[in-house]
Amino acid sequence: MLKKKKAAGSSECCCVGMAIESMELKEIQKLQGHTDRVWSIDWNPATGHSGIPLLFASSSGDKTVRVWEQTNLSSNLFTCKAVLDETHTRTVRSCAWSPSGKLLATASFDATTAIWENVGGDFECVSTLEGHENEVKSVSWNASGNLLATCSRDKSVWIWEVQQGNEVECVSVLQGHTQDVKMVKWHPTMDVLFSCSYDNTIKVWADEDESDDWQCVQTLGEPNNGHTSTVWALSFNARGDKMVTCSDDLTVKVWETENIDIQSGGGFAPWRHLCTLTGYHDRTVFSVHWSREGILASGAADDAIRLFVDNNESEVGGPLFKLLLKKEKAHDMDINCVQWSPGEKPLLASASDDGTIKLWELAP
């Protein structure tokens, strides 16, 4: 029977000093400009603190990426700062900022990944990565910004090394998934890579002797309480000792590992299933994201956003998470992506098939 464990950061869940149960998700702004569905959003991690206005990128079926910036620090309103429209020839499925916030990687159905550099406010395409046979579905930077991962409908995961002068070299091609790979995500503190797929599994990849010999060290699938249909997305908590995944099987699953501090010095500790959030979604869950304060957000095909928090009142063996709120009709169509912002008072951004991005705040 599961014993109650505190989710990392959950004690801070009263994020603005009041009972979180009394909070509502309030729409701040609806951003229009994309002319097709919006697939992904990514907040620039170097913004939202130290007096730097928040910045995020969005990617769309209209073949473009848009960069949005907070108009000023005292306002939560955003304007479109740039449209990157000259590189990709098909849908841009995913976008990701490097940890420094200086580079933006974009993955496209045209089988390429582009790297853009912010040069004095203008974004220049400084590198185009080719190699996947067909649609690139996701792109992710590691914590130190020297490795990039991509995945594709061709069932492969590629790891690229980003060198000085924006020279990029493929260091490993990982074969193991038997179907379309939907997302890649690096662990927030270690060079361990996670991928999730149409084959219903999450795979964990590590280069255990640091020789660019990347291997699958664990597969989380149906035999170990895994998903029974396509796994669409995954996210980590702030400490990196818990991971959340979401699926076409209408569930959200939480996984845990131990000895993060020990692992960062080498060695691999396996992940295990902690709990399944079931009965909350009746359509595919496309996106899930864990805030630094321990709030889980999900975006789904029923056009709703749900927030879950650590269930501090749970009996031993009871549910470890509880539904904080459900925002019905958050969008007019499927929600493809939800992501919390950096900064002291996190905003939630959501992207939808309806072609819009919405910004939300948790407020009383």
Side-chain angles (χ1 to χ4, degrees):
M1 194 173 272
L2 288 172
K3 288 203 169 69
K4 181 73 202 84
K5 291 199 172 110
K6 292 276 283 183
S10 61
S11 57
E12 301 154 32
C13 248
C14 306
C15 35
V16 282
M18 52 186 63
I20 191 151
E21 277 75 10
S22 65
M23 305 289 244
E24 287 180 57
L25 199 59
K26 295 187 175 174
E27 182 181 330
I28 302 170
Q29 192 177 9
K30 178 162 84 170
L31 298 174
Q32 295 173 300
H34 283 298
T35 57
D36 201 327
R37 69 185 58 178
V38 187
W39 276 112
S40 82
I41 37 192
D42 195 49
W43 293 93
N44 186 315
T47 67
H49 42 80
S50 310
I52 302 168
L54 284 164
L55 192 79
F56 73 91
S58 60
S59 71
S60 167
D62 65 11
K63 310 174 192 173
T64 74
V65 175
R66 285 177 172 258
V67 179
W68 308 84
E69 187 173 41
Q70 192 177 13
T71 50
N72 59 63
L73 287 170
S74 58
S75 156
N76 282 333
L77 298 179
F78 287 73
T79 54
C80 183
K81 182 185 178 185
V83 181
L84 316 184
D85 59 358
E86 292 175 359
T87 293
H88 292 299
T89 58
R90 292 184 63 196
T91 289
V92 188
R93 180 64 179 83
S94 171
C95 55
W97 295 97
S98 64
S100 68
K102 292 184 170 67
L103 299 174
L104 176 67
T106 57
S108 171
F109 285 4
D110 65 13
T112 72
T113 301
I115 297 179
W116 308 77
E117 185 173 16
N118 185 352
V119 183
D122 290 325
F123 288 85
E124 297 176 9
C125 181
V126 292
S127 197
T128 302
L129 315 184
E130 299 178 345
H132 282 294
E133 293 172 20
N134 44 40
E135 292 102 316
V136 188
K137 296 295 182 76
S138 175
V139 60
S140 175
W141 297 86
N142 71 338
S144 53
N146 67 320
L147 294 175
L148 195 66
T150 57
C151 66
S152 166
R153 191 166 69 86
D154 66 14
K155 309 174 192 173
S156 71
V157 173
W158 289 46
I159 295 178
W160 311 78
E161 186 174 5
V162 184
Q163 298 155 343
Q164 286 187 326
N166 299 321
E167 290 291 316
V168 185
E169 177 188 5
C170 175
V171 293
S172 197
V173 177
L174 311 179
Q175 307 283 358
H177 283 294
T178 58
Q179 299 283 345
D180 183 357
V181 189
K182 295 294 187 188
M183 179 183 260
V184 280
K185 194 81 179 167
W186 289 95
H187 187 272
T189 60
M190 298 181 295
D191 283 347
V192 177
L193 180 66
F194 295 72
S195 57
C196 56
S197 168
Y198 192 75
D199 67 13
N200 310 349
T201 70
I202 301 124
K203 286 187 179 289
V204 190
W205 310 86
D207 176 19
E208 296 197 273
D209 54 5
E210 298 189 4
S211 61
D212 287 335
D213 181 24
W214 291 82
Q215 301 289 335
C216 179
V217 292
Q218 191 177 12
T219 298
L220 303 173
E222 216 170 326
N224 36 14
N225 294 309
H227 290 289
T228 58
S229 190
T230 301
V231 188
W232 278 95
L234 64 98
S235 174
F236 295 94
N237 68 345
R239 271 202 69 205
D241 62 348
K242 290 188 176 66
M243 170 176 68
V244 61
T245 56
C246 63
S247 169
D248 199 40
D249 66 12
L250 314 184
T251 72
V252 170
K253 289 180 182 283
V254 180
W255 310 79
E256 66 176 353
T257 190
E258 293 177 350
N259 304 326
I260 282 292
D261 303 328
I262 296 169
Q263 285 186 67
S264 54
F268 172 77
W271 290 76
R272 63 172 180 265
H273 175 259
L274 178 64
C275 64
T276 298
L277 308 184
T278 186
Y280 296 105
H281 301 88
D282 50 16
R283 300 280 302 278
T284 299
V285 191
F286 288 123
S287 179
V288 66
H289 194 247
W290 216 323
S291 79
R292 292 182 318 287
E293 295 76 20
I295 305 173
L296 277 177
S298 72
D302 63 358
D303 317 340
I305 294 171
R306 292 167 181 80
L307 302 184
F308 299 89
V309 290
D310 198 37
N311 189 8
N312 293 316
E313 295 82 49
S314 174
E315 300 292 318
V316 171
L320 300 185
F321 291 85
K322 61 185 175 185
L323 182 68
L324 174 65
L325 62 85
K326 176 184 177 184
K327 189 74 178 177
E328 301 261 17
K329 297 185 171 57
H331 282 271
D332 295 334
M333 297 171 75
D334 294 7
I335 297 172
N336 295 315
C337 186
V338 287
Q339 197 181 78
W340 295 100
S341 74
E344 289 169 13
K345 288 178 66 176
L347 304 177
L348 183 69
S350 58
S352 169
D353 277 1
D354 66 16
T356 71
I357 298 147
K358 289 189 178 182
L359 296 165
W360 311 82
E361 66 176 344
L362 256 184

